[in-house]
Amino acid sequence: MIAAEGIHAGIGSVGILHDVSLSVPSGKLVTVIGANGAGKTTLLRVISNVLSPTRGRILFDGVPNESIPAHLLARRGLIHVPQGRQIIPTLSVRDNLLIGAARVPDLSKDDMEAGLEREFARFPVLRERQYILGGNLSGGEQQMLAVSRALMMRPKVLMLDEPSLGLAPQVVASIFKALRRLADEGLAVLLVEQLALLALNVADQAYVLQRGRVALSGPAAEIRRDPAVVESYLG
Ligand SMILES: Nc1ncnc2c1ncn2[C@@H]1O[C@H](COP(=O)(O)OP(=O)(O)OP(=O)(O)O)[C@@H](O)[C@H]1O
Ligand SMILES: [Mg+2]
């Protein structure tokens, strides 16, 4: 569903990504792990067409995305949950979700209600908190809201930038479990993470990004056993 082919990218004359290739098929959970500054967020920005690569290309559903503006990519189902969960603090949980749905063309009122129900079933705490302002939720609840809001947009590809940041392990586990289920239901999920062990445990495929290069890639279960990965990321 997403294929990055030989991506080079940088800001000004500073190279950040070097010859990065990766693919995220439908029905798979793919993780990109790497340390601070490895280029993970930059890679997501290139895939979302917020930053143009200096070389290489991104295919979304077989179509080069360079000609499609970022907001139209979202409308076509490429959804990016940015680092730092950008929910709207002054709107209720419910309205945050409905705003997600409002970006989907031709969605009826019944579709929106069904979407709310689906997300409340996924994260029951959001049902309990539906009339509370987003800004008053805990960090974990805000991250669940960010994921649910993205899902209200009916993605084909869901990209998440370090959703575990600052959250308790049980909350991370429940969010990752939801991501696993979404992949099993057919979504293409790209999970960028520093919490390597948890990400590798839930993913199908993994890429290790080191100083802007893919140092290692393969089935997540194999990457998890790789001595260099164990030493640098899981030790
Ligand atoms: N706008 C920018 N101008 C200059 N350098 C940048 C810019 N954005 C990112 N960089 C540099 O590019 C490198 C990769 O940054 P990026 O944010 O992609 O890393 P990351 O893997 O997401 O890190 P983290 O885990 O800390 O979020 C870093 O060295 C960063 O300082
Ligand atoms: Mg980042």
Side-chain angles (χ1 to χ4, degrees), residues 41 83 161-162:
T41 297
Q83 202 165 346
D161 196 351
E162 295 197 47

Side-chain angles (χ1 to χ4, degrees), residues 66-226:
E66 62 211 332
S67 54
I68 311 171
H71 70 282
L72 286 183
L73 278 173
R75 201 169 267 230
R76 291 188 194 183
L78 181 70
I79 304 290
H80 179 176
V81 180
Q83 202 165 346
R85 28 189 130 97
Q86 293 171 12
I87 59 141
I88 301 170
T90 52
L91 287 183
S92 71
V93 166
R94 197 183 165 85
D95 287 345
N96 266 279
L97 292 171
L98 290 174
I99 276 199
R103 299 202 199 154
V104 182
D106 306 325
L107 207 62
S108 71
K109 207 158 179 301
D110 284 353
D111 290 337
M112 287 201 189
E113 282 299 328
L116 281 176
E117 269 311 307
R118 194 187 60 226
E119 295 315 315
F120 290 158
R122 190 183 323 275
F123 298 121
V125 70
L126 296 182
R127 185 195 302 279
E128 289 165 31
R129 304 265 193 275
Q130 61 181 300
Y131 298 109
I132 290 182
L133 296 185
N136 290 338
L137 296 179
S138 74
E141 291 162 356
Q142 286 188 21
Q143 187 63 65
M144 292 178 199
L145 177 56
V147 171
S148 277
R149 191 176 63 155
L151 293 170
M152 292 292 283
M153 297 182 222
R154 302 276 182 101
K156 290 182 184 150
V157 179
L158 183 65
M159 306 195 291
L160 306 105
D161 196 351
E162 295 197 47
S164 72
L165 208 65
L167 304 185
Q170 310 91 293
V171 179
V172 176
S174 75
I175 290 171
F176 281 17
K177 204 169 139 198
L179 298 180
R180 179 68 257 171
R181 194 171 311 135
L182 285 160
D184 291 338
E185 288 165 6
L187 193 64
V189 183
L190 177 54
L191 172 63
V192 159
E193 263 300 340
Q194 265 195 74
L195 274 192
L197 181 60
L198 290 180
L200 290 172
N201 279 342
V202 77
D204 297 298
Q205 295 286 320
Y207 295 80
V208 179
L209 204 57
Q210 242 168 36
R211 280 175 263 108
R213 293 174 200 279
V214 176
L216 207 61
S217 66
E222 282 175 23
I223 300 291
R224 197 175 50 210
R225 288 193 298 266
D226 188 279

Side-chain angles (χ1 to χ4, degrees), residues 11 16 34-43 45 83 161-162 194:
I11 312 277
I16 299 178
N36 283 122
K40 304 182 299 296
T41 297
T42 304
L43 177 60
R45 294 179 69 221
Q83 202 165 346
D161 196 351
E162 295 197 47
Q194 265 195 74

